[in-house]
């Protein structure tokens, strides 16, 4: 998310005068924003597994292909279907046309929906964590507070 914000600040400096730099910045923005959203989705899933099943092992390597790969799939699909209109926005966003923007936010909506679903389940089950270790239960309760705040900031 921070990297995408840096790209957004760089786009304000007038570096996106041509179509190719504009497209490169817009693709970087799409990728890093979606990577942050899908990392949040993976974090909510890991917390969901910790609260509902008591599985806390640090098995986060499973989430790397999801969080870094799903944005590549969405960008590839947008490039394949709407590549001729990318790089036309004057402020280096996705496109001046509405169709690629709708596709971008459609993929974001998928990540938001999964994050929201996991968050709701976690919030209803936080009082009955499936771990018997008291330190783990306290850790999960603190993690849920931070996760809810992060998810709310990204969703709204």
């Amino acid at each position: 998310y921070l990297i995408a914000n840096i790209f957004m600040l760089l786009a304000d400096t007038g570096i996106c005068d041509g179509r190719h730099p504009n497209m490169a910045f817009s693709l970087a923005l799409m990728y890093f924003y979606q990577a942050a959203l899908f990392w949040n989705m993976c974090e909510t899933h890991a917390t969901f597994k910790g609260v509902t099943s008591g599985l806390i092992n640090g098995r986060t390597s499973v989430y790397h292909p999801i969080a870094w790969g799903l944005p590549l799939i969405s960008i590839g699909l947008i490039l394949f279907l709407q590549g001729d209109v990318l790089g036309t926005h004057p402020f280096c966003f996705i496109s001046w046309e509405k169709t690629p923007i709708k596709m971008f936010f459609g993929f974001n909506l998928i990540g938001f929906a999964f994050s929201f679903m996991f968050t709701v389940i976690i919030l209803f089950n936080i009082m009955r964590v499936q771990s018997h270790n008291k330190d783990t239960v306290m850790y999960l309760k603190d993690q849920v507070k931070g996760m809810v705040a992060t998810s709310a900031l990204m969703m709204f």
Side-chain angles (χ1 to χ4, degrees):
Y1 191 76
L2 180 63
I3 296 171
N5 284 336
I6 290 171
F7 275 107
M8 189 68 94
L9 288 173
L10 285 174
D12 287 340
T13 63
I15 205 167
C16 296
D17 292 335
R19 181 169 177 172
H20 294 291
N22 191 331
M23 184 182 271
F25 269 83
S26 67
L27 291 176
L29 283 171
M30 285 192 294
Y31 180 76
F32 287 114
Y33 277 133
Q34 283 189 339
L37 295 173
F38 286 119
W39 268 116
N40 187 47
M41 180 189 72
C42 291
E43 183 68 27
T44 57
H45 182 263
T47 307
F48 166 78
K49 293 296 283 182
V51 168
T52 59
S53 303
L55 294 175
I56 303 166
N57 292 354
R59 299 177 353 203
T60 58
S61 62
V62 174
Y63 298 121
H64 288 275
I66 296 169
W68 295 117
L70 284 178
L72 288 176
I73 292 171
S74 88
I75 288 173
L77 188 63
I78 292 171
L79 277 171
F80 181 71
L81 297 176
Q82 298 290 324
D84 55 338
V85 295
L86 291 178
T88 57
H89 197 274
F91 302 117
C92 286
F93 197 55
I94 300 167
S95 174
W96 194 250
E97 303 294 325
K98 299 249 186 273
T99 308
I101 295 172
K102 287 179 183 177
M103 292 173 70
F104 172 71
F105 285 112
F107 282 110
N108 289 352
L109 188 63
I110 293 168
F112 288 147
F114 279 110
S115 294
F116 183 74
M117 177 185 66
F118 290 136
T119 303
V120 167
I121 293 170
I122 289 166
L123 289 176
F124 283 116
N125 289 319
I126 193 62
M127 299 310 284
R128 295 174 32 136
V129 177
Q130 296 298 316
S131 177
H132 299 292
N133 187 348
K134 290 185 187 259
D135 293 333
T136 303
V137 171
M138 294 301 292
Y139 170 76
L140 276 174
K141 287 183 179 181
D142 289 338
Q143 183 175 344
V144 166
K145 292 174 190 173
M147 183 205 63
V148 168
T150 304
S151 296
L153 286 173
M154 287 193 174
M155 286 185 200
F156 304 109

